[in-house]
C-alpha cells in the first residue's frame, strides 16, 4: 500500500493539468491554481471553467491548473494561498483549514442545506457572501464566489440500514461532518484524497462520506464499495473560489470580471451535472446497492444537527450570525412549502 501511495502521489506531482497555452507572450499574466479535486473529478468541476478562461484571456493571462495535493496537501491550501505559493484555489473552507470563523460551514455543514440551490441563495440573498468577504479579507485572501456541489452520502463495504450499523465504521469525510457524526459511532479518518481507493481496498477504511453517488462512480469509489446510503448528512457541499489578495488586486478589472464569469459557469455546470447524475445513477447505476435508514430513526440525526448548530454558534459572534442565517433560511423554506420543503 505504501508503495502504491508513493507511486500515485509521485505521478500526480509530475505534471500539472495541461490547460495552459504552450507559448506565452512575455507580458502574459500567469497564475497557478490548485483544486481540491483529483483528475477524474476535476474534468467536470473545474477543467471546463479554466479552459474557457484561458481561451478567452489568450496572451493576456493564463491559469496553470494543478489537481489535488499536486503542489501542497489540501489541508495546506490556505497557507499556500496566503503566502502566494498558489495564486488561486478551488476548495471548501473546511478541507483547506482556513483560519476563519466560517471554516466549519464549508464543505458539509450538517443539514445546512437540502438542495443544491440552497447554497447560492444563502450566499447571494441571505447574507453569507458579506460575512465570507469580511472573514477572508481580514487574512489577506479574496473570496470570489461560493457554489454548490453534490449531497453527502455514505458509500460503504457493508450495508448500512440502521444507526447501529454506523458504529465503529472508519470513514473518510470532512472535518466538521466527521466531528458531527462521531456521536453516532463513526470514526473519522483523514487521508490524502488520492489514497482513498487504496485504503478501501486494504481495509484501512470501511466507507466514504465525502460525496454523492455521481462522484463515487466518477472517481472510482463505486468500484471499491458495495452500498450507497440514501440518507444524507447534507443536501449540498458548499465550496468556493479564492485568490491571493495581492494577485487579485493586480488584475485589471476586466480580467477580474472574466474570472468571476468563469467561476459562475463552473457553478452552473455543477448544478445540472450533479442534480441529474445523482438521480440517474440511483436509478440506472449497476455498481452500488441502495440502502436506507428509516425516516423515524434518521430523525434522530436530523434533530442532533440542530443541537450541533447551537454548539457551533456558541463559539463566536460570527458563527452565531451564520447559524442564525441558516435557521432563518430553513424556517422560510419550510413555511414556503412545496417544492422548497416537505414537512
Amino acid at each position: 500500500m505504501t508503495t502504491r501511495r508513493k507511486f500515485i502521489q509521485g505521478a500526480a506531482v509530475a505534471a500539472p493539468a495541461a490547460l495552459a497555452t504552450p507559448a506565452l507572450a512575455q507580458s502574459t499574466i500567469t497564475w497557478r491554481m490548485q483544486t481540491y479535486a483529483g483528475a477524474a473529478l476535476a474534468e467536470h468541476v473545474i477543467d471546463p471553467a479554466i479552459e474557457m478562461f484561458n481561451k478567452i484571456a489568450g496572451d493576456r493571462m493564463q491559469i496553470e491548473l494543478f489537481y489535488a495535493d499536486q503542489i501542497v496537501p489540501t489541508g495546506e491550501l490556505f497557507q499556500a494561498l496566503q503566502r502566494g505559493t498558489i495564486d488561486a484555489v478551488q476548495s471548501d473552507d473546511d478541507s483547506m483549514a482556513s483560519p476563519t470563523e466560517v471554516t466549519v460551514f464549508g464543505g458539509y455543514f450538517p443539514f445546512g442545506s437540502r438542495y443544491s440551490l440552497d447554497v447560492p441563495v444563502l450566499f447571494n440573498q441571505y447574507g453569507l457572501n458579506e460575512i465570507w468577504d469580511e472573514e477572508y479579507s481580514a487574512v489577506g485572501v479574496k473570496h470570489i464566489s461560493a457554489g454548490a456541489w453534490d449531497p453527502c452520502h455514505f458509500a460503504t463495504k457493508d450495508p448500512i440500514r440502521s444507526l447501529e450499523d454506523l458504529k465503529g465504521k472508519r470513514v473518510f469525510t470532512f472535518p466538521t461532518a466527521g466531528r458531527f457524526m462521531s456521536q453516532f459511532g463513526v470514526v473519522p479518518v483523514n487521508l490524502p484524497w488520492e489514497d482513498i481507493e487504496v485504503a478501501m481496498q486494504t481495509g484501512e477504511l470501511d466507507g466514504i462520506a465525502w460525496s454523492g453517488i455521481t462522484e463515487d462512480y466518477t472517481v472510482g469509489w463505486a468500484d471499491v464499495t458495495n452500498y450507497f446510503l440514501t440518507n444524507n448528512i447534507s443536501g449540498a457541499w458548499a465550496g468556493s473560489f479564492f485568490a491571493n489578495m495581492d494577485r487579485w488586486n493586480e488584475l485589471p478589472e476586466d480580467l477580474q470580471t472574466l474570472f468571476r464569469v468563469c467561476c459562475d459557469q463552473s457553478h452552473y455546470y455543477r448544478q445540472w451535472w450533479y442534480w441529474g447524475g445523482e438521480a440517474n445513477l440511483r436509478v440506472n447505476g449497476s455498481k452500488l446497492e441502495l440502502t436506507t435508514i428509516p425516516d423515524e430513526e434518521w430523525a434522530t440525526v436530523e434533530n442532533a444537527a440542530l443541537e450541533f448548530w447551537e454548539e457551533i454558534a456558541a463559539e463566536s459572534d460570527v458563527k452565531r450570525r451564520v447559524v442564525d442565517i441558516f435557521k432563518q433560511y430553513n424556517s422560510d423554506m419550510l413555511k414556503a412549502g412545496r417544492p422548497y420543503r416537505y414537512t
Side-chain angles (χ1 to χ4, degrees):
M1 181 175 65
T2 302
T3 301
R4 284 190 67 184
R5 284 185 181 175
K6 288 181 178 177
F7 172 79
I8 291 171
Q9 291 169 353
V13 174
L19 297 180
T21 303
L24 302 178
Q26 195 169 12
S27 60
T28 302
I29 299 168
T30 58
W31 272 17
R32 297 202 305 171
M33 180 178 189
Q34 184 170 313
T35 176
Y36 74 98
L41 182 59
E43 181 180 346
H44 294 280
V45 302
I46 186 64
D47 282 0
I50 301 306
E51 288 171 352
M52 178 185 294
F53 180 92
N54 287 343
K55 182 176 181 179
I56 297 172
D59 279 348
R60 293 190 64 201
M61 181 173 175
Q62 291 289 297
I63 297 174
E64 188 176 22
L65 181 63
F66 295 81
Y67 298 144
D69 306 318
Q70 284 191 326
I71 300 177
V72 297
T74 298
E76 298 176 14
L77 278 175
F78 178 86
Q79 291 91 334
L81 184 63
Q82 192 179 43
R83 290 193 306 265
T85 304
I86 300 171
D87 302 301
V89 162
Q90 179 199 43
S91 179
D92 69 279
D93 318 72
D94 205 18
S95 295
M96 71 179 197
S98 301
T100 72
E101 294 295 321
V102 298
T103 295
V104 295
F105 303 104
Y108 292 117
F109 186 60
F111 298 97
S113 62
R114 180 172 294 189
Y115 307 117
S116 57
L117 277 175
D118 291 339
V119 174
V121 174
L122 279 161
F123 274 87
N124 294 303
Q125 295 185 8
Y126 276 71
L128 292 191
N129 264 336
E130 290 75 14
I131 298 175
W132 260 246
D133 183 68
E134 292 170 10
E135 286 294 301
Y136 280 98
S137 294
V139 291
V141 167
K142 177 64 178 177
H143 177 258
I144 297 167
S145 67
W149 274 251
D150 48 343
C152 184
H153 293 261
F154 285 86
T156 54
K157 286 184 176 179
D158 300 323
I160 305 296
R161 296 190 174 94
S162 70
L163 292 180
E164 185 67 26
D165 293 336
L166 287 172
K167 291 182 178 178
K169 294 294 188 294
R170 296 160 298 177
V171 176
F172 171 64
T173 189
F174 291 81
T176 300
R179 172 181 167 184
F180 171 67
M181 289 305 298
S182 63
Q183 65 185 290
F184 299 101
V186 173
V187 180
V189 178
N190 183 27
L191 290 170
W193 190 90
E194 293 285 358
D195 289 0
I196 304 311
E197 186 171 348
V198 176
M200 286 297 305
Q201 291 172 307
T202 61
E204 189 175 355
L205 288 174
D206 301 305
I208 302 163
W210 201 85
S211 69
I213 198 168
T214 305
E215 286 191 20
D216 291 334
Y217 274 78
T218 301
V219 306
W221 292 341
D223 298 322
V224 293
T225 54
N226 302 313
Y227 298 92
F228 179 84
L229 181 65
T230 59
N231 312 78
N232 63 51
I233 301 171
S234 183
W237 189 76
S240 297
F241 290 92
F242 305 88
N244 174 275
M245 186 68 78
D246 290 338
R247 296 307 303 274
W248 177 257
N249 289 336
E250 291 168 1
L251 290 184
E253 185 177 354
D254 63 332
L255 287 179
Q256 290 180 350
T257 300
L258 176 59
F259 191 80
R260 288 184 183 277
V261 168
C262 291
C263 290
D264 287 344
Q265 186 278 336
S266 177
H267 295 320
Y268 171 68
Y269 183 107
R270 291 189 313 275
Q271 284 282 349
W272 61 261
W273 184 66
Y274 278 120
W275 186 257
E278 295 298 302
N280 176 58
L281 288 170
R282 286 191 186 200
V283 174
N284 299 309
S286 60
K287 296 179 180 179
L288 296 174
E289 180 180 336
L290 305 184
T291 64
T292 301
I293 295 175
D295 288 345
E296 57 274 18
E297 187 176 0
W298 191 248
T300 303
V301 184
E302 294 178 340
N303 292 333
L306 300 180
E307 296 178 12
F308 183 75
W309 287 14
E310 290 304 313
E311 177 187 330
I312 295 296
E315 295 176 353
S316 75
D317 291 341
V318 172
K319 290 177 182 177
R320 166 57 66 187
R321 287 170 62 196
V322 176
V323 168
D324 285 347
I325 287 174
F326 274 105
K327 290 168 67 175
Q328 182 64 56
Y329 177 77
N330 280 279
S331 174
D332 290 349
M333 294 300 104
L334 189 61
K335 290 176 184 176
R338 299 170 184 264
Y340 298 96
R341 291 292 187 269
Y342 296 82
T343 56

